[in-house]
Amino acid sequence: MRKRLEEIAFSRLKNDKDNAILWWEGKWLSGSHVLDVVDQCRKNLEEKGFGAGDRLVLFLPNSPLVLYLSLAVWQLGGTVVPLNSRSGKEATIAMLHHICPWGVITSDEKGVVAEALSLSSFPWTVAPLEGPLPPFQGRHVEKGDPEVAVIFATSGTTGDPKAVPLTHSNLYDNTLKVQQTIEGFEEHQTLLNVLPNFHSLGYTICGLLPMLWGLREVIVPSFMPTKNFFRALRDSETNILIAVPTMLPFLLGAVSKGEALPSSLQYILTGGGALEPELEQRVRDTFSVIIYQGYGLTECSPVVSCNPNDTMRKEGTVGPALPGYSLDVRDEEGNSLKKGKEGVLWVKGPSVASGYLKAPELTAERFSEGWFNTGDMVRIDEDGFITILDRVSDMLIVGGYNVFPQEIERILKRHPDVIEAAVIGGKHPVSGEIPVAFVVREEGSGLTSSELANFCKDQLAYYKIPRKICFVRELPLSGVGKVLRRKLREQQLRELEQNNRVI
């Protein structure tokens, strides 16, 4: 059966016309208010020619406008594309060319995005975060699939643009299964939406799920400053918080200095990185809440699995798969392994995307006959609970942001004194991981780590800049010339002890 997200949302909003739906800047907004602003946004888009298959890019912090524009765009058969405003000029322009949008919306007329857009041919406008969208003229471009609801973008493993189109059916299935399966997402609960909307977890589970399935939603533009975050938690009487593990030390630190959590807070659900058992226990002891972790990927809309409730929770696992997923553990050649064996997790189900945008070769690498290669090493126990062992891919998670080493390496190797570079993740108590670079310099070069870091600052987002740079004579290579990152991880402490330059 064909599912359209805006139809489900409108049905809920009409039932809650006089009830509080969204909390923004200290006050609750009714379903009737949301419907009115969505209608204004739709009219302003339609009058300027936005239609089925068109794409609207959003460079916006968490705000009501993100939801208003999503519903308006879907009404017209279009696709919404939330992007990271901190990606840097080069990456921003590259992704826009890859997406090919009808137009671009931002809330900042003086930031990096505005500078990049001013140098491009993409039509754009500035809009207030509470809406509505002002009329502006987009452009006639190639049409996409009207069944694609959202496109999420990230850097590919080569540093080139990579984008994941998710359909209405994908997102319908994932939000419904989360709402039905995981304790805390019951109708009329109050959920705080603070994770970035350009991440699938933030957009889909924090933003879209409450709108579709009857939860009240508290919208906070960003986690920092934490003072505003705590005020929103208390004033809205939030019941459930979706967080990345790197947020939790900040919460613990703030509470130890006198901040107060509301007694209404019952659940903290974590994703986007490993939740260490020690940190989980500290949160339980300090906040007296139920905390559990899940696992997902953008290509899966995003949730694959989660500990469903406190009674069934298994510490150190990310729970069993949501209903509808099929799982297969395979070796590196793609052969299925016997039950209980460790290997690469492949998944299949109605939440899984069909491939990447305009990337047939990459799609062929990761998708096969409906199955998706997650790139993660796992172990699945007799009850179906999944333990994530390691990333097969080299992606780092820095403060909740996905960072690909190859993108950083490409920038490092642009420096004239750099021959080779490899980047791995180093543990960090606050951000979870930091980029650590191993660099081979030109012979006789006096290049310093500080100079190389400054070189990166103009070309990379701040969280992608290497926080440690180690100069080495050579990189460990495999027989076919591939950098052995495992050896670099083993070598890291030894290199630092040998007085390599570190920042």
Side-chain angles (χ1 to χ4, degrees):
M1 182 179 176
R2 179 176 172 269
K3 303 292 183 182
R4 293 287 304 186
L5 300 174
E6 76 279 5
E7 293 174 1
I8 299 167
F10 288 146
S11 176
R12 181 272 170 105
L13 291 169
K14 289 172 184 176
N15 288 334
D16 280 324
K17 273 190 172 185
D18 300 322
N19 297 328
I21 298 296
L22 298 179
W23 190 96
W24 172 249
E25 294 189 337
K27 64 180 181 181
W28 284 101
L29 305 174
S30 69
S32 180
H33 176 85
V34 173
L35 287 169
D36 288 344
V37 183
V38 170
D39 194 53
Q40 292 177 63
C41 292
R42 178 193 60 78
K43 287 177 179 176
N44 289 343
L45 285 169
E46 191 172 29
E47 287 174 0
K48 295 299 182 179
F50 186 94
D54 284 329
R55 297 165 181 154
L56 189 68
V57 165
L58 310 181
F59 286 104
L60 297 171
N62 291 356
S63 59
L65 186 60
V66 174
L67 290 171
Y68 298 159
L69 288 176
S70 296
L71 296 178
V73 163
W74 295 337
Q75 268 191 298
L76 299 171
T79 300
V80 64
V81 188
L83 294 181
N84 184 0
S85 61
R86 296 182 178 181
S87 294
K89 293 180 186 178
E90 182 178 326
T92 294
I93 294 300
M95 186 56 73
L96 288 174
H97 281 293
H98 190 63
I99 296 296
C100 199
W102 178 88
V104 181
I105 312 299
T106 181
S107 59
D108 185 0
E109 59 185 346
K110 296 182 179 179
V112 173
V113 169
E115 288 181 32
L117 291 169
S118 297
L119 299 173
S120 74
S121 60
F122 299 103
W124 63 286
T125 192
V126 177
L129 295 180
E130 68 276 5
L133 175 71
F136 86 108
Q137 186 61 58
R139 61 175 189 163
H140 295 293
V141 292
E142 63 181 57
K143 299 286 187 177
D145 182 355
E147 289 303 310
V148 172
V150 185
I151 296 174
F152 290 105
T154 183
S155 298
T157 55
T158 62
D160 296 326
K162 181 176 76 171
V164 182
L166 297 175
T167 65
H168 286 259
S169 295
N170 291 148
L171 296 172
Y172 168 86
D173 179 77
N174 205 249
T175 57
L176 179 62
K177 298 294 176 53
V178 169
Q179 194 271 332
Q180 291 179 334
T181 305
I182 303 173
E183 181 181 345
F185 286 92
E186 293 82 14
E187 192 174 354
H188 304 307
Q189 287 276 75
T190 300
L191 181 149
L192 192 132
N193 173 2
V194 70
L195 298 184
N197 61 67
F198 55 82
H199 278 186
S200 185
L201 181 61
Y203 181 96
T204 306
I205 304 304
C206 299
L208 182 59
L209 184 153
M211 178 66 71
L212 295 177
W213 305 117
L215 285 76
R216 303 202 306 172
E217 179 174 340
V218 180
I219 303 178
V220 180
S222 64
F223 180 58
M224 305 296 283
T226 55
K227 184 177 181 180
N228 294 342
F229 166 82
F230 275 97
R231 185 185 299 119
L233 271 178
R234 291 190 296 266
D235 292 352
S236 65
E237 299 183 336
T238 287
N239 306 123
I240 179 169
L241 169 66
I242 315 297
V244 293
T246 52
M247 291 168 58
L248 301 179
F250 285 99
L251 295 181
L252 290 165
V255 168
S256 71
K257 294 176 182 177
E259 281 285 7
L261 285 172
S263 59
S264 60
L265 186 63
Q266 300 170 282
Y267 302 95
I268 298 178
L269 170 64
T270 68
L275 177 61
E276 298 296 334
E278 296 81 5
L279 178 58
E280 180 180 354
Q281 194 58 51
R282 283 182 63 200
V283 170
R284 284 176 172 266
D285 294 343
T286 304
F287 300 153
S288 298
V289 296
I290 294 172
I291 178 171
Y292 40 77
Q293 66 173 317
Y295 163 72
L297 306 98
T298 300
E299 294 89 342
C300 298
S301 300
V303 182
V304 172
S305 67
C306 188
N307 281 280
N309 54 56
D310 207 38
T311 302
M312 295 178 63
R313 176 183 69 95
K314 289 191 179 184
E315 187 178 276
T317 78
V318 293
L322 294 182
Y325 274 110
S326 297
L327 306 181
D328 194 21
V329 178
R330 305 182 184 183
D331 61 23
E332 292 186 6
E333 284 71 46
N335 302 307
S336 295
L337 299 172
K338 291 182 179 179
K339 205 168 187 177
K341 292 288 186 179
E342 297 177 358
V344 183
L345 179 65
W346 288 68
V347 298
K348 184 178 184 179
S351 291
V352 179
S354 59
Y356 297 107
L357 180 70
K358 302 177 184 176
E361 292 183 3
L362 182 59
T363 296
E365 289 176 12
R366 300 292 295 277
F367 294 85
S368 177
E369 298 179 346
W371 288 92
F372 171 65
N373 177 2
T374 68
D376 288 313
M377 291 288 292
V378 304
R379 179 175 59 248
I380 303 177
D381 70 14
E382 64 280 2
D383 297 319
F385 281 66
I386 304 167
T387 299
I388 307 297
L389 303 173
D390 198 1
R391 301 186 191 96
V392 177
S393 65
D394 301 316
M395 185 182 74
L396 316 180
I397 298 179
V398 181
Y401 294 108
N402 294 345
V403 176
F404 289 94
Q406 291 85 348
E407 181 183 6
I408 303 172
E409 292 161 4
R410 183 180 62 173
I411 298 301
L412 289 169
K413 287 187 279 191
R414 287 181 181 176
H415 193 286
D417 287 344
V418 172
I419 298 175
E420 266 297 344
V423 173
I424 62 172
K427 290 187 177 181
H428 191 273
V430 175
S431 61
E433 289 183 299
I434 54 172
V436 176
F438 288 81
V439 175
V440 180
R441 289 177 290 195
E442 287 283 356
E443 188 174 351
S445 169
L447 178 66
T448 67
S449 54
S450 295
E451 289 170 350
L452 190 52
N454 286 329
F455 175 79
C456 294
K457 286 179 181 177
D458 293 331
Q459 304 176 72
L460 290 170
Y462 73 96
Y463 55 87
K464 296 180 181 179
I465 298 168
R467 292 300 187 265
K468 295 181 181 180
I469 297 177
C470 308
F471 291 112
V472 295
R473 291 188 179 88
E474 61 183 13
L475 298 176
L477 302 176
S478 70
V480 294
K482 185 176 181 180
V483 175
L484 297 172
R485 297 180 193 276
R486 173 177 51 83
K487 292 290 186 182
L488 286 178
R489 294 185 185 99
E490 295 170 358
Q491 194 176 313
Q492 185 179 353
L493 287 178
R494 185 168 65 252
E495 294 292 342
L496 295 177
E497 291 169 356
Q498 292 174 355
N499 297 319
N500 280 290
R501 298 298 299 274
V502 178
I503 58 169

